[in-house]
Protein backbone atom coordinates (compact mmCIF):
# COMPACT_ATOMS: atom_id res chain seq x y z
CA UNK A 1 0.00 0.00 0.00
CA UNK A 2 1.24 3.47 -0.92
CA UNK A 3 0.16 6.73 0.72
CA UNK A 4 -0.59 9.76 -1.45
CA UNK A 5 1.14 13.12 -0.96
CA UNK A 6 -2.03 14.40 0.67
CA UNK A 7 -2.12 11.44 3.06
CA UNK A 8 1.57 11.79 3.96
CA UNK A 9 0.89 15.39 4.96
CA UNK A 10 -2.37 14.56 6.76
CA UNK A 11 -0.70 11.91 8.90
CA UNK A 12 2.63 13.74 9.34
CA UNK A 13 2.29 13.95 13.16
CA UNK A 14 2.03 10.16 13.20
CA UNK A 15 4.95 9.81 10.82
CA UNK A 16 7.12 11.79 13.25
CA UNK A 17 6.44 9.27 16.03
CA UNK A 18 9.07 6.51 15.91
CA UNK A 19 6.44 4.09 17.36
CA UNK A 20 4.20 4.77 14.36
CA UNK A 21 6.22 6.05 11.42
CA UNK A 22 5.38 5.26 7.82
CA UNK A 23 5.13 1.51 8.45
CA UNK A 24 2.76 2.07 11.37
CA UNK A 25 0.61 4.53 9.47
CA UNK A 26 0.27 1.99 6.68
CA UNK A 27 -0.87 -0.56 9.27
CA UNK A 28 -3.49 1.92 10.54
CA UNK A 29 -4.63 2.67 6.98
CA UNK A 30 -5.08 -1.02 6.23
CA UNK A 31 -6.96 -1.74 9.48
CA UNK A 32 -10.70 -2.33 9.58
CA UNK A 33 -12.85 -1.72 12.65
CA UNK A 34 -16.50 -2.48 13.29
CA UNK A 35 -18.16 -0.20 15.84
CA UNK A 36 -21.35 -1.56 17.42
CA UNK A 37 -23.48 1.54 17.95
CA UNK A 38 -23.23 5.12 16.69
CA UNK A 39 -24.15 6.67 20.04
CA UNK A 40 -22.21 8.12 22.97
CA UNK A 41 -19.23 5.77 22.74
CA UNK A 42 -19.45 5.21 18.97
CA UNK A 43 -19.14 8.94 18.29
CA UNK A 44 -15.65 9.65 19.66
CA UNK A 45 -14.45 6.16 18.70
CA UNK A 46 -15.31 6.46 15.01
CA UNK A 47 -14.44 10.16 14.69
CA UNK A 48 -10.93 9.77 16.09
CA UNK A 49 -10.30 6.47 14.30
CA UNK A 50 -11.32 8.10 11.01
CA UNK A 51 -9.06 11.07 11.72
CA UNK A 52 -6.19 8.70 12.54
CA UNK A 53 -6.60 7.10 9.13
CA UNK A 54 -8.25 3.74 9.85
CA UNK A 55 -8.94 2.37 6.39
CA UNK A 56 -12.40 0.92 6.87
CA UNK A 57 -14.89 1.72 9.62
CA UNK A 58 -18.14 -0.23 9.82
CA UNK A 59 -21.02 1.07 11.93
CA UNK A 60 -23.93 -1.04 13.15
CA UNK A 61 -26.90 1.06 14.27
CA UNK A 62 -30.59 1.05 13.41
CA UNK A 63 -31.67 4.05 15.51
CA UNK A 64 -32.66 7.56 14.46
CA UNK A 65 -31.11 10.65 16.03
CA UNK A 66 -33.17 11.96 18.96
CA UNK A 67 -32.86 15.40 20.55
CA UNK A 68 -31.80 13.76 23.85
CA UNK A 69 -28.77 12.17 22.08
CA UNK A 70 -27.08 15.48 21.25
CA UNK A 71 -25.79 16.13 24.81
CA UNK A 72 -23.05 13.53 24.14
CA UNK A 73 -23.37 11.87 20.71
CA UNK A 74 -21.17 14.27 18.77
CA UNK A 75 -21.40 12.36 15.48
CA UNK A 76 -24.82 13.97 15.14
CA UNK A 77 -25.91 17.59 15.05
CA UNK A 78 -29.10 19.50 15.68
CA UNK A 79 -30.15 19.33 12.03
CA UNK A 80 -29.81 15.51 12.10
CA UNK A 81 -32.67 14.92 14.56
CA UNK A 82 -34.98 12.32 13.05
CA UNK A 83 -32.43 11.02 10.51
CA UNK A 84 -30.89 7.53 10.71
CA UNK A 85 -27.77 7.70 12.90
CA UNK A 86 -25.78 5.82 10.26
CA UNK A 87 -26.48 8.61 7.72
CA UNK A 88 -25.28 11.47 9.88
CA UNK A 89 -22.35 9.33 11.08
CA UNK A 90 -21.20 8.75 7.52
CA UNK A 91 -21.39 12.47 6.69
CA UNK A 92 -19.45 13.45 9.80
CA UNK A 93 -16.72 10.85 9.22
CA UNK A 94 -16.41 11.74 5.54
CA UNK A 95 -16.04 15.41 6.50
CA UNK A 96 -13.21 14.45 8.91
CA UNK A 97 -11.38 12.12 6.53
CA UNK A 98 -12.53 11.27 2.98
CA UNK A 99 -9.83 8.56 2.78
CA UNK A 100 -11.69 6.37 5.29
CA UNK A 101 -14.15 3.93 3.78
CA UNK A 102 -17.27 4.08 5.97
CA UNK A 103 -19.54 1.03 5.71
CA UNK A 104 -23.05 1.37 7.10
CA UNK A 105 -25.01 -1.52 8.58
CA UNK A 106 -28.40 0.01 9.30
CA UNK A 107 -29.69 -3.07 11.13
CA UNK A 108 -30.12 -4.37 14.65
CA UNK A 109 -27.26 -6.74 15.57
CA UNK A 110 -28.88 -10.18 16.03
CA UNK A 111 -27.76 -13.75 16.59
CA UNK A 112 -28.65 -14.37 12.94
CA UNK A 113 -26.51 -11.61 11.38
CA UNK A 114 -23.72 -11.07 13.95
CA UNK A 115 -21.16 -13.57 12.65
CA UNK A 116 -21.41 -12.43 9.03
CA UNK A 117 -21.36 -8.73 10.06
CA UNK A 118 -18.27 -9.07 12.27
CA UNK A 119 -16.33 -11.48 10.07
CA UNK A 120 -14.84 -8.94 7.58
CA UNK A 121 -13.31 -6.70 10.29
CA UNK A 122 -10.00 -6.90 12.20
CA UNK A 123 -11.37 -5.37 15.41
CA UNK A 124 -14.76 -5.00 17.04
CA UNK A 125 -15.49 -2.08 19.35
CA UNK A 126 -18.36 -2.43 21.79
CA UNK A 127 -20.30 0.83 21.91
CA UNK A 128 -23.61 -0.71 22.95
CA UNK A 129 -25.87 0.45 25.75
CA UNK A 130 -27.70 -2.80 26.54
CA UNK A 131 -26.86 -6.20 27.94
CA UNK A 132 -28.28 -8.50 25.24
CA UNK A 133 -26.17 -6.78 22.53
CA UNK A 134 -23.12 -6.73 24.82
CA UNK A 135 -23.24 -10.50 25.43
CA UNK A 136 -23.99 -11.10 21.76
CA UNK A 137 -21.00 -8.98 20.70
CA UNK A 138 -18.77 -10.82 23.18
CA UNK A 139 -19.82 -14.28 22.09
CA UNK A 140 -19.56 -13.50 18.38
CA UNK A 141 -16.04 -12.08 18.93
CA UNK A 142 -14.95 -15.16 20.92
CA UNK A 143 -16.31 -17.52 18.25
CA UNK A 144 -14.63 -15.50 15.46
CA UNK A 145 -11.39 -14.87 17.43
CA UNK A 146 -11.68 -11.10 17.04
CA UNK A 147 -10.43 -8.69 19.71
CA UNK A 148 -13.43 -7.05 21.43
CA UNK A 149 -12.57 -3.55 22.65
CA UNK A 150 -15.03 -3.04 25.46
CA UNK A 151 -16.34 0.12 27.10
CA UNK A 152 -19.37 1.00 29.17
CA UNK A 153 -20.65 4.09 30.90
CA UNK A 154 -23.13 4.90 33.63
CA UNK A 155 -23.84 8.30 35.21
CA UNK A 156 -20.29 9.50 36.18
CA UNK A 157 -18.45 6.21 35.86
CA UNK A 158 -17.08 4.12 33.07
CA UNK A 159 -14.95 1.08 32.38
CA UNK A 160 -12.91 -0.31 29.52
CA UNK A 161 -10.97 -3.43 28.65
CA UNK A 162 -9.78 -5.56 25.76
CA UNK A 163 -11.37 -9.01 25.59
CA UNK A 164 -9.53 -11.54 23.46
CA UNK A 165 -9.31 -15.14 24.73
CA UNK A 166 -7.37 -16.08 21.57
CA UNK A 167 -4.65 -13.63 22.71
CA UNK A 168 -4.60 -15.05 26.24
CA UNK A 169 -7.03 -12.65 27.95
CA UNK A 170 -10.50 -13.14 29.38
CA UNK A 171 -13.82 -12.44 27.69
CA UNK A 172 -16.74 -10.36 28.99
CA UNK A 173 -18.39 -13.52 30.36
CA UNK A 174 -15.28 -14.37 32.43
CA UNK A 175 -15.84 -11.02 34.15
CA UNK A 176 -19.64 -11.00 34.22
CA UNK A 177 -20.92 -14.60 33.90
CA UNK A 178 -24.53 -13.54 34.48
CA UNK A 179 -26.39 -10.43 33.31
CA UNK A 180 -27.91 -8.32 36.10
CA UNK A 181 -31.60 -8.98 36.76
CA UNK A 182 -33.70 -6.91 34.34
CA UNK A 183 -34.45 -3.46 35.75
CA UNK A 184 -31.56 -3.58 38.27
CA UNK A 185 -29.23 -1.42 36.20
CA UNK A 186 -31.09 1.64 34.92
CA UNK A 187 -30.47 2.67 31.31
CA UNK A 188 -28.90 6.05 30.46
CA UNK A 189 -32.45 7.27 29.78
CA UNK A 190 -33.54 6.42 33.33
CA UNK A 191 -30.24 6.83 35.22
CA UNK A 192 -28.66 9.67 33.26
CA UNK A 193 -25.08 10.06 32.07
CA UNK A 194 -22.60 12.94 32.16
CA UNK A 195 -22.26 14.17 28.57
CA UNK A 196 -18.45 14.13 28.43
CA UNK A 197 -18.09 10.65 29.98
CA UNK A 198 -18.49 8.64 26.73
CA UNK A 199 -15.85 10.91 25.21
CA UNK A 200 -13.31 9.74 27.78
CA UNK A 201 -14.21 6.03 27.73
CA UNK A 202 -14.69 5.96 23.93
CA UNK A 203 -11.27 7.47 23.36
CA UNK A 204 -9.67 4.89 25.66
CA UNK A 205 -11.28 2.27 23.39
CA UNK A 206 -10.05 4.07 20.25
CA UNK A 207 -6.54 4.26 21.76
CA UNK A 208 -6.56 0.52 22.34
CA UNK A 209 -7.61 -0.10 18.72
CA UNK A 210 -4.69 1.96 17.40
CA UNK A 211 -2.20 0.26 19.76
CA UNK A 212 -3.43 -3.20 18.74
CA UNK A 213 -3.24 -2.25 15.06
CA UNK A 214 0.32 -0.98 15.58
CA UNK A 215 1.35 -3.75 17.95
CA UNK A 216 2.64 -1.00 20.25
CA UNK A 217 2.56 -0.63 24.03
CA UNK A 218 0.60 -2.65 26.58
CA UNK A 219 -3.07 -3.13 25.85
CA UNK A 220 -5.88 -3.49 28.39
CA UNK A 221 -5.79 -7.25 27.82
CA UNK A 222 -6.16 -8.87 31.27
CA UNK A 223 -6.98 -5.49 32.82
CA UNK A 224 -10.21 -3.66 33.59
CA UNK A 225 -9.80 0.11 33.74
CA UNK A 226 -12.33 1.89 35.95
CA UNK A 227 -12.93 5.63 35.73
CA UNK A 228 -14.78 7.86 38.19
CA UNK A 229 -15.37 11.35 36.78
CA UNK A 230 -16.60 12.90 40.05
CA UNK A 231 -13.45 11.85 41.91
CA UNK A 232 -11.36 12.14 38.71
CA UNK A 233 -9.74 8.82 39.48
CA UNK A 234 -8.67 5.84 37.42
CA UNK A 235 -8.41 2.42 39.04
CA UNK A 236 -7.37 -0.87 37.57
CA UNK A 237 -8.36 -4.47 38.23
CA UNK A 238 -6.33 -7.43 37.07
CA UNK A 239 -8.47 -9.88 35.16
CA UNK A 240 -7.91 -13.53 34.56
CA UNK A 241 -9.51 -15.88 32.13
CA UNK A 242 -12.04 -18.16 33.83
CA UNK A 243 -11.31 -21.80 32.91
CA UNK A 244 -15.01 -22.48 33.67
CA UNK A 245 -16.25 -19.72 31.32
CA UNK A 246 -19.16 -21.11 29.28
CA UNK A 247 -17.78 -19.73 26.01
CA UNK A 248 -13.98 -19.30 26.29
CA UNK A 249 -13.28 -21.82 29.08
CA UNK A 250 -11.81 -25.28 28.79
CA UNK A 251 -15.16 -27.02 28.31
CA UNK A 252 -17.35 -24.46 26.56
CA UNK A 253 -21.09 -25.10 26.64
CA UNK A 254 -21.89 -22.23 24.27
CA UNK A 255 -20.72 -23.21 20.79
CA UNK A 256 -23.01 -21.00 18.76
CA UNK A 257 -24.91 -17.77 19.30
CA UNK A 258 -27.94 -18.06 21.58
CA UNK A 259 -31.10 -16.01 22.27
CA UNK A 260 -29.63 -13.02 24.15
CA UNK A 261 -32.89 -11.31 25.07
CA UNK A 262 -33.98 -14.55 26.67
CA UNK A 263 -30.59 -14.95 28.41
CA UNK A 264 -30.83 -11.40 29.82
CA UNK A 265 -34.49 -11.85 30.78
CA UNK A 266 -35.61 -8.93 28.63
CA UNK A 267 -37.69 -10.84 26.07
CA UNK A 268 -40.04 -8.18 24.68
CA UNK A 269 -43.50 -8.96 26.01
CA UNK A 270 -46.48 -8.71 23.72
CA UNK A 271 -47.97 -5.28 24.31
CA UNK A 272 -50.74 -6.31 26.68
CA UNK A 273 -51.80 -4.48 29.81
CA UNK A 274 -50.54 -6.03 33.00
CA UNK A 275 -53.37 -6.44 35.56
CA UNK A 276 -51.51 -3.97 37.83
CA UNK A 277 -51.38 -1.31 35.13
CA UNK A 278 -53.58 1.54 33.96
CA UNK A 279 -53.10 3.89 30.99
CA UNK A 280 -52.47 7.62 31.18
CA UNK A 281 -56.06 8.03 29.94
CA UNK A 282 -57.30 6.29 33.09
CA UNK A 283 -54.95 8.50 35.12
CA UNK A 284 -56.57 11.55 33.52
CA UNK A 285 -60.01 10.20 34.42
CA UNK A 286 -58.89 9.73 38.03
CA UNK A 287 -57.64 13.33 38.17
CA UNK A 288 -60.68 14.94 36.53
CA UNK A 289 -63.37 12.87 38.31
CA UNK A 290 -62.80 13.08 42.09
CA UNK A 291 -66.02 11.09 42.70
CA UNK A 292 -64.04 7.98 41.58
CA UNK A 293 -62.06 8.34 44.81
CA UNK A 294 -58.68 7.61 43.21
CA UNK A 295 -55.55 9.57 44.11
CA UNK A 296 -52.50 9.85 41.85
CA UNK A 297 -48.97 9.97 43.27
CA UNK A 298 -45.65 10.62 41.56
CA UNK A 299 -42.61 8.68 42.86
CA UNK A 300 -39.90 10.51 40.87
CA UNK A 301 -37.28 12.69 42.57
CA UNK A 302 -37.96 16.37 43.42
CA UNK A 303 -35.73 17.77 40.66
CA UNK A 304 -37.56 15.68 38.08
CA UNK A 305 -40.88 16.96 39.45
CA UNK A 306 -39.54 20.47 38.96
CA UNK A 307 -38.76 19.76 35.29
CA UNK A 308 -42.18 18.32 34.56
CA UNK A 309 -45.22 17.32 36.57
CA UNK A 310 -48.93 16.81 36.20
CA UNK A 311 -51.21 19.24 38.06
CA UNK A 312 -52.99 17.67 41.03
CA UNK A 313 -50.46 14.88 41.58
CA UNK A 314 -48.65 14.61 44.93
CA UNK A 315 -44.94 13.85 45.06
CA UNK A 316 -43.68 10.87 47.12
CA UNK A 317 -40.13 10.17 45.84
CA UNK A 318 -39.26 6.48 45.75
CA UNK A 319 -36.09 7.27 47.70
CA UNK A 320 -38.21 8.60 50.61
CA UNK A 321 -41.07 6.12 50.41
CA UNK A 322 -39.76 3.81 53.15
CA UNK A 323 -39.78 6.76 55.58
CA UNK A 324 -42.94 8.45 54.35
CA UNK A 325 -45.41 5.73 53.35
CA UNK A 326 -47.38 6.20 56.63
CA UNK A 327 -48.53 9.58 55.27
CA UNK A 328 -50.53 7.53 52.75
CA UNK A 329 -53.75 5.64 53.54
CA UNK A 330 -53.53 1.86 52.98
CA UNK A 331 -57.27 1.74 52.23
CA UNK A 332 -57.13 4.51 49.61
CA UNK A 333 -56.95 3.69 45.87
CA UNK A 334 -53.75 5.07 44.32
CA UNK A 335 -52.47 5.33 40.77
CA UNK A 336 -48.66 5.59 40.87
CA UNK A 337 -46.51 7.11 38.13
CA UNK A 338 -42.83 7.88 37.51
CA UNK A 339 -40.95 8.80 34.34
CA UNK A 340 -41.42 5.60 32.31
CA UNK A 341 -43.10 3.06 34.61
CA UNK A 342 -40.14 1.19 36.18
CA UNK A 343 -39.74 2.96 39.49
CA UNK A 344 -43.50 3.26 40.00
CA UNK A 345 -43.75 -0.53 39.71
CA UNK A 346 -41.11 -0.87 42.45
CA UNK A 347 -43.07 1.65 44.57
CA UNK A 348 -46.25 -0.37 43.98
CA UNK A 349 -44.55 -3.58 45.10
CA UNK A 350 -43.15 -1.86 48.20
CA UNK A 351 -46.52 -0.36 49.20
CA UNK A 352 -48.28 -3.67 48.62
CA UNK A 353 -45.83 -5.29 51.07
CA UNK A 354 -46.88 -2.61 53.59
CA UNK A 355 -50.52 -3.69 53.27
CA UNK A 356 -51.82 -1.28 50.61
CA UNK A 357 -54.55 -3.05 48.66
CA UNK A 358 -55.74 -0.84 45.83
CA UNK A 359 -52.76 0.19 43.71
CA UNK A 360 -52.20 0.58 39.98
CA UNK A 361 -49.06 1.46 38.04
CA UNK A 362 -49.43 4.09 35.30
CA UNK A 363 -48.01 2.52 32.16
CA UNK A 364 -45.36 4.63 30.40
CA UNK A 365 -45.27 7.27 33.17
CA UNK A 366 -45.07 10.99 32.55
CA UNK A 367 -43.48 10.43 29.12
CA UNK A 368 -46.70 8.74 27.96
CA UNK A 369 -48.70 11.55 29.57
CA UNK A 370 -46.74 14.03 27.46
CA UNK A 371 -47.22 11.91 24.32
CA UNK A 372 -50.89 11.09 24.72
CA UNK A 373 -52.51 13.68 27.01
CA UNK A 374 -50.60 16.96 27.26
CA UNK A 375 -47.61 17.76 25.01
CA UNK A 376 -46.94 20.93 27.07
CA UNK A 377 -45.48 18.65 29.76
CA UNK A 378 -41.77 18.60 28.77
CA UNK A 379 -40.08 15.28 28.07
CA UNK A 380 -36.62 14.84 29.55
ZN1 LIG B 1 -14.72 -16.12 28.94
Amino acid sequence: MELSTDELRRYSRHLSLPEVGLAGQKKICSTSVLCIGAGGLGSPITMYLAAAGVGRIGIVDFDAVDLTNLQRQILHGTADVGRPKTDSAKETLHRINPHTNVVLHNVRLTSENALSLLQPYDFVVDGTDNFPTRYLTNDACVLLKKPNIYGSIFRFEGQASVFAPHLGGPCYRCLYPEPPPPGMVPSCAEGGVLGVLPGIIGLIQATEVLKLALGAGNSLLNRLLLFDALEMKFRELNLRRDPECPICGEHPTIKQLIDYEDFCGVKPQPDVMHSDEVTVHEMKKALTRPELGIKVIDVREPDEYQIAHVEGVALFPLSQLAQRFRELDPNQAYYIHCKMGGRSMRALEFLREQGFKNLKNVKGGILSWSDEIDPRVPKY
Side-chain angles (χ1 to χ4, degrees):
M1 136 180 263
E2 291 308 318
L3 298 185
S4 66
T5 319
D6 172 83
E7 285 170 291
L8 290 172
R9 191 161 163 72
R10 176 183 287 265
Y11 305 125
S12 61
R13 299 299 182 274
H14 271 165
L15 302 182
S16 324
L17 286 170
E19 292 81 356
V20 184
L22 183 60
Q25 187 61 48
K26 285 182 177 176
K27 281 184 193 161
I28 294 174
C29 291
S30 49
T31 290
S32 57
V33 179
L34 182 67
C35 187
I36 315 290
L41 293 169
S43 289
I45 291 166
T46 56
M47 289 167 76
Y48 269 92
L49 289 181
V54 166
R56 183 158 46 95
I57 297 179
I59 298 176
V60 188
D61 203 300
F62 66 96
D63 247 346
V65 180
D66 185 83
L67 192 59
T68 60
N69 300 150
L70 303 182
Q71 163 251 24
R72 64 202 177 283
Q73 302 186 12
I74 57 173
L75 270 172
H76 321 292
T78 309
D80 296 317
V81 170
R83 299 177 70 202
K85 285 189 179 176
T86 43
D87 286 4
S88 51
K90 185 169 188 158
E91 280 177 16
T92 301
L93 298 182
H94 189 77
R95 185 172 53 73
I96 293 172
N97 190 349
H99 301 286
T100 293
N101 176 17
V102 179
V103 183
L104 304 181
H105 306 282
N106 196 356
V107 292
R108 184 194 290 269
L109 191 73
T110 65
S111 301
E112 287 69 41
N113 64 22
L115 294 177
S116 59
L117 277 175
L118 269 58
Q119 179 59 55
Y121 294 91
D122 301 322
F123 302 103
V124 176
V125 189
D126 178 355
T128 58
D129 60 354
N130 65 82
F131 289 99
T133 314
R134 181 158 297 143
Y135 279 95
L136 167 59
T137 303
N138 178 71
D139 290 3
C141 285
V142 173
L143 293 174
L144 292 168
K145 298 189 166 47
K146 306 266 181 202
N148 172 14
I149 293 86
Y150 158 76
S152 77
I153 48 169
F154 181 61
R155 294 189 167 157
F156 296 94
E157 291 172 43
Q159 47 183 260
S161 190
V162 170
F163 297 126
H166 64 289
L167 301 178
C171 81
Y172 182 73
R173 279 182 189 268
C174 297
L175 183 58
Y176 300 109
E178 296 287 331
M184 270 299 287
V185 179
S187 65
C188 281
E190 188 91 356
V193 62
L194 189 68
V196 296
L197 182 68
I200 294 167
I201 300 298
L203 287 186
I204 289 168
Q205 293 174 276
T207 308
E208 292 303 283
V209 170
L210 291 182
K211 281 161 55 193
L212 288 167
L214 291 165
N218 288 317
S219 78
L220 283 175
L221 197 72
N222 287 313
R223 294 188 286 156
L224 181 70
L225 189 66
L226 302 167
F227 174 63
D228 181 336
L230 283 181
E231 297 301 321
M232 199 47 85
K233 273 196 174 136
F234 285 93
R235 286 189 303 134
E236 202 180 295
L237 297 177
N238 287 321
L239 301 180
R240 215 177 307 148
R241 206 171 139 201
D242 177 6
E244 303 298 318
C245 175
I247 190 152
C248 81
E250 267 134 46
H251 308 285
T253 50
I254 301 168
K255 291 168 181 166
Q256 56 188 13
L257 299 178
I258 58 171
D259 183 333
Y260 292 89
E261 285 178 333
D262 193 40
F263 173 67
C264 295
V266 295
K267 203 93 183 141
Q269 298 298 316
D271 199 21
V272 288
M273 292 294 288
H274 197 272
S275 61
D276 285 336
E277 283 180 331
V278 290
T279 63
V280 285
H281 296 276
E282 284 165 281
M283 170 174 151
K284 185 181 176 187
K285 216 183 285 174
L287 287 169
T288 49
R289 293 176 51 191
E291 69 274 20
L292 296 174
I294 302 163
K295 289 188 176 162
V296 183
I297 58 171
D298 179 347
V299 295
R300 296 172 304 144
E301 297 306 308
D303 57 332
E304 296 179 85
Y305 189 86
Q306 220 172 50
I307 298 167
H309 65 268
V310 177
E311 233 30 76
V313 175
L315 182 65
F316 281 85
L318 181 61
S319 59
Q320 302 171 11
L321 209 54
Q323 293 87 51
R324 289 187 54 195
F325 73 88
R326 285 184 189 85
E327 297 169 33
L328 299 167
D329 173 3
N331 299 311
Q332 165 71 45
Y334 290 106
Y335 288 177
I336 310 170
H337 87 79
C338 63
K339 183 180 180 186
M340 299 157 87
R343 283 175 286 170
S344 48
M345 190 49 101
R346 291 210 289 281
L348 181 148
E349 283 160 4
F350 170 78
L351 290 173
R352 193 167 277 166
E353 281 166 22
Q354 312 309 318
F356 287 70
K357 301 258 167 346
N358 204 343
L359 305 170
K360 294 282 183 193
N361 184 31
V362 178
K363 193 179 176 176
I366 201 165
L367 294 186
S368 286
W369 180 274
S370 178
D371 283 337
E372 296 177 36
I373 307 287
D374 184 0
R376 289 169 307 172
V377 171
K379 289 168 81 172
Y380 63 98

